[in-house]
Amino acid sequence: MKVQTIMADLERKHPGENEYLQAVQEVLESIEEVYNLHPEFEKAKIVERMVEPDRIFTFRVTWVDDRGEIQTNLGYRIQFNSAIGPYKGGIRFHKAVNPSMLKFLGFEQTFKNALTTLPMGGAKGGSDFDPVGKSDAEIMRFCQAFMWELWNNIGPDTDVPAGDVGVGGREIGYMYGMYKKLAREYNTGVLTGKGMTWGGSLIRPEATGFGALYFVEHMLAKAGKSIKGATVAISGFGNVAWGAATKATELGAKVIAISGPDGVVYNPEGMNKEKLDYMLVLRASNRNIVAPFAEKFPDATFIPGKKAWSIKCDIALPCAFQNELNGDDAAELIANGTWCAAEVSNMGCTPEAIATFQGAGILFAPGKAVNAGGVATSGLEMTQNAMHLSWSAAEVDQKLHYIMESIHAACVKYGTQEDGYINYVKGANIAGFMKVAQAMLEQGIV
Ligand code: GLU
C-alpha cells in the first residue's frame, strides 16, 4: 500500500472533505507497516474498499417551526462498513453537519466498534438541524420528520442508530415513537440510548464518560500513575462531559474546568453532586452556553472566549467536538505541566496536537479507544433487547469495565514501540483494522 497514492486518489474523488480525509490519513499511516506484511490484504484491495462507505442516504427533512414557518434541513445516514455486524453508530444534529463530517465519523466508528469486542459494523447519520434555541415541540417535530425518511433503511439487524452531539435520550424517544408508528412493530433493538422504561440499558447515559475514565485508569496504571488527586480539565458540558466529570470525581480527581462555545468555567474546588446535576440542566436548556454555571456556583469563575486548555491541569479530556484541541493548545498544556491527554470526543485533537503530545512523550490515547464505552454499551443494549430482558446496572457496568480493559490491552499489544512508549493511536488503529480486514477477506469480493 502506498498511503500517498491512496490519499491522492481520495482527495481527487472527494475534494474539500477535510475531516474525512484527515481521519483516513491517520488510520492509513498507522497501519501501513502491518498492512504491508499481509499481501493477501493488498491483493483483495482491502484498504481501497474500506475507505469508501458502503452507501450514503441523503434526504430532505421538512418540518414546521413554532411560528408556523416551513423549514427544510438535510438528513443523512452513512452505512460505512458491515463486515463484522449490522451498521451501528450515532446521529448528530449540529449546524455544521455535512457529508465530510459524517464520513469521518462513520469511518472512525467502524474501527471503534471493532475494538469493542462486540459484533457491530460502522455507520453515522445526522442533520444540519441546529437544536440551539429550539423548543421541545420543534425538536419533536424535527425528529419525527427525520425518522419519516429514515425508518425504512434501519432495523435491529440492519442498521442501529443512537445518539451523538445534539441527540440524547429525548431525541431518541421522539425518533423511536415515529419509527414504531411507521413500522408497526415494537422493534426495540432498532435504536439505542432509549428510555429506561422502554428498552434502554442502565448505564448507557453514563457509558461514554465512565468507559473513558476506566480506559484512563488502565493507561495510568500501566504508566505507574494514579488519577487520585490529579486535576482534570474537560471541554464541553454535555452528556459525555458529564459522564467523564462524574466518574473522574468519583475516582478522586478534581475536575477544575468545563467549557462551552462561550468560554471556560474555572472550577478550582472541583465537582460535587449539585454541580454535576447542574451540567445536565445546562445541556437540557438548549442554549449551548456554560457561563450560567459560574453564576450558580460562586466558587467557579467564567472566562469568556477561552478554551479548557488554558487552565493548568494534569489530565486533559476533550469531550466536545472534532479538532477542538490544536497544536498550540497541546503546547500550552505541556508547558503548564499536563502529563496525560485522552480524546473522549471523536478526533478531538488535530494531527499537530497528537504529534506534539507524542513528541513530548506524554500519555495520549485516541477517541476510538477512549470513547468506545458508549457504543459498547449500545451493543449491550442491543443484546438485552434481542433477549427481551434487562440487566442490572452492576452487570452492565461490569461488562463495560471488561470491554474497556480489553480495548486497552489491544492498544498495548499493537502499539508498544521498541523504546517502550505505547503509541495508543497506532495500537487502536491496527487492532480495529485487523479485525475488519480479516472479516472482509473471508467474505469475498462484495
Ligand atoms: N455516538 C457515539 C459514538 O460516537 C455512540 C454511538 C452508538 O451508541 O451507536 O460512538
Side-chain angles (χ1 to χ4, degrees):
M1 168 182 47
K2 292 266 176 301
V3 175
Q4 271 168 350
T5 319
I6 295 179
M7 286 313 300
D9 199 38
L10 272 190
E11 275 161 37
R12 186 181 50 74
K13 279 198 266 187
H14 309 288
E17 297 200 350
N18 296 335
E19 295 99 339
Y20 164 58
L21 296 167
Q22 178 187 337
V24 173
Q25 176 139 9
E26 179 206 286
V27 169
L28 297 193
E29 278 172 1
S30 38
I31 62 162
E32 188 175 14
E33 216 178 293
V34 172
Y35 190 83
N36 290 336
L37 299 173
H38 289 269
E40 71 279 18
F41 290 164
E42 181 90 49
K43 191 161 168 259
K45 295 270 191 286
I46 295 292
V47 157
E48 288 81 346
R49 290 156 59 194
M50 200 185 257
V51 296
E52 292 286 358
D54 287 356
R55 64 191 69 80
I56 303 181
F57 298 108
T58 307
F59 44 92
R60 171 176 57 77
V61 186
T62 296
W63 56 286
V64 180
D65 71 16
D66 286 349
R67 291 166 304 167
E69 275 191 35
I70 297 166
Q71 301 287 346
T72 291
N73 288 99
L74 294 172
Y76 307 92
R77 184 69 181 167
I78 303 201
Q79 297 183 335
F80 217 102
N81 188 297
S82 65
I84 64 167
Y87 300 107
K88 179 82 194 90
I91 289 180
R92 177 174 289 196
F93 291 165
H94 188 279
K95 59 178 190 250
V97 160
N98 59 24
S100 168
M101 194 191 293
L102 298 181
K103 279 164 72 178
F104 118 64
L105 289 163
F107 181 74
E108 290 277 298
Q109 197 82 42
T110 301
F111 301 101
K112 182 198 309 195
N113 294 3
L115 285 172
T116 64
T117 73
L118 303 174
M120 300 183 289
K124 207 81 188 192
S127 172
D128 61 354
F129 170 74
D130 182 6
V132 178
K134 299 294 187 297
S135 71
D136 190 66
E138 287 176 321
I139 287 182
M140 181 179 76
R141 287 197 296 276
F142 178 79
C143 288
Q144 292 175 337
F146 184 86
M147 187 49 81
W148 202 345
E149 271 297 324
L150 186 64
W151 78 276
N152 220 359
N153 295 312
I154 58 176
D157 295 309
T158 314
D159 181 356
V160 185
D164 195 80
V165 174
V167 178
R170 169 181 54 178
E171 291 76 13
I172 292 292
Y174 293 147
M175 284 195 263
Y176 186 71
M178 193 59 170
Y179 174 85
K180 184 165 66 78
K181 193 175 176 71
L182 294 165
R184 308 225 173 163
E185 275 180 28
Y186 208 100
N187 259 336
T188 37
V190 71
L191 290 172
T192 60
K194 298 181 292 294
M196 297 307 153
T197 57
W198 45 280
S201 174
L202 289 163
I203 306 292
R204 178 62 190 89
E206 295 88 348
T208 310
F210 279 23
L213 267 295
Y214 298 157
F215 188 95
V216 168
E217 269 194 302
H218 284 292
M219 185 162 65
L220 299 198
K222 181 89 189 146
K225 292 182 176 279
S226 161
I227 193 165
K228 230 180 157 59
T231 51
V232 177
I234 286 180
S235 62
F237 61 92
N239 172 264
V240 171
W242 164 77
T246 303
K247 188 50 85 177
T249 306
E250 199 184 304
L251 295 175
K254 202 182 249 192
V255 176
I256 53 160
I258 56 170
S259 69
D262 53 334
V264 60
V265 167
Y266 175 51
N267 181 44
E269 302 300 320
M271 291 288 174
N272 55 34
K273 172 132 186 16
E274 207 192 337
K275 287 178 174 176
L276 291 165
D277 287 347
Y278 188 67
M279 286 176 78
L280 295 177
V281 176
L282 266 187
R283 150 78 172 103
S285 75
N286 268 7
R287 290 167 64 205
N288 209 18
I289 50 171
V290 77
F293 189 98
E295 287 156 29
K296 186 153 171 72
F297 302 104
D299 60 319
T301 317
F302 176 64
I303 310 164
K306 283 280 182 191
K307 291 184 180 182
W309 323 131
S310 60
I311 307 290
K312 179 178 163 51
C313 63
D314 296 317
I315 301 174
L317 300 179
C319 292
F321 216 56
Q322 70 267 8
N323 292 331
E324 55 173 315
L325 196 163
N326 63 30
D328 292 341
D329 298 325
E332 185 173 1
L333 283 167
I334 293 169
N336 280 335
T338 297
W339 45 262
C340 172
E343 285 179 336
V344 193
S345 46
N346 291 309
M347 208 165 79
C349 297
T350 63
E352 295 74 34
I354 298 176
T356 307
F357 287 135
Q358 292 182 331
I362 78 159
L363 294 167
F364 175 78
K368 64 171 76 68
V370 178
N371 74 28
V375 72
T377 308
S378 279
L380 301 176
E381 183 171 327
M382 288 163 68
T383 307
Q384 293 168 77
N385 295 155
M387 291 162 52
H388 299 282
L389 50 74
S390 15
W391 293 328
S392 67
E395 190 164 357
V396 178
D397 199 30
Q398 186 221 329
K399 289 184 162 67
L400 174 61
H401 259 288
Y402 167 76
I403 289 170
M404 298 316 296
E405 189 182 348
S406 311
I407 297 173
H408 181 263
C411 291
V412 172
K413 176 175 168 195
Y414 289 106
T416 305
Q417 295 178 173
E418 271 170 25
D419 62 1
Y421 180 75
I422 303 170
N423 185 336
Y424 282 90
V425 175
K426 199 169 168 188
N429 285 334
I430 295 177
F433 169 81
M434 290 302 276
K435 192 168 168 187
V436 178
Q438 193 60 35
M440 285 177 71
L441 194 67
E442 290 170 14
Q443 290 170 17
I445 317 296
V446 288

